[in-house]
Amino acid sequence: MSLSDLEDRLEELKDKDVLMILKPGQLNILGQVFRPILCAKIVKVSDKYIELKNVNIKMSNAPEFIFPTPLLIPMEKIAIVSPFDSDTRFALI
């Protein structure tokens, strides 16, 4: 999927809850290493990044952690994005 196609798809999902998986195999935020699986609401889409709020970072040791500030994610780091009910629970293995 090209970045312009991704931008169009994200614009369709704006103001909706999504499940997002990022391209890096793992990330480190606040000293916690985790798989890049997020649930959030898309609040802004530009040609270079998206802004997310109410970001639930799916960490196995803190599965209900909501990041306290909005996050900006570069478009080129997004692997998968799909509409998702943020109340849905699933196992992280």
Side-chain angles (χ1 to χ4, degrees):
M1 179 181 291
S2 72
L3 283 179
S4 63
D5 291 339
L6 178 59
E7 183 180 346
D8 292 341
R9 176 73 174 135
L10 292 169
E11 197 63 53
E12 291 172 11
L13 295 170
K14 188 175 175 183
D15 298 321
K16 296 183 179 148
D17 289 330
V18 297
L19 173 69
M20 183 175 296
I21 301 174
L22 304 179
K23 289 181 181 176
Q26 64 183 21
L27 295 176
N28 183 330
I29 294 180
L30 303 174
Q32 297 293 316
V33 176
F34 60 94
R35 291 183 181 184
I37 302 169
L38 316 168
C39 293
K41 182 172 285 207
I42 298 174
V43 293
K44 184 177 181 181
V45 178
S46 79
D47 61 340
K48 299 199 187 301
Y49 68 90
I50 63 167
E51 182 177 339
L52 304 171
K53 73 175 186 177
N54 301 331
V55 180
N56 178 254
I57 300 171
K58 297 297 186 180
M59 293 184 276
S60 58
N61 60 341
E64 300 304 319
F65 178 75
I66 303 293
F67 204 74
T69 62
L71 291 179
L72 299 176
I73 306 291
M75 290 282 223
E76 68 269 5
K77 299 297 181 187
I78 299 171
I80 297 170
V81 63
S82 178
F84 190 76
D85 178 1
S86 60
D87 293 328
T88 303
R89 295 178 184 260
F90 57 91
L92 296 173
I93 298 175

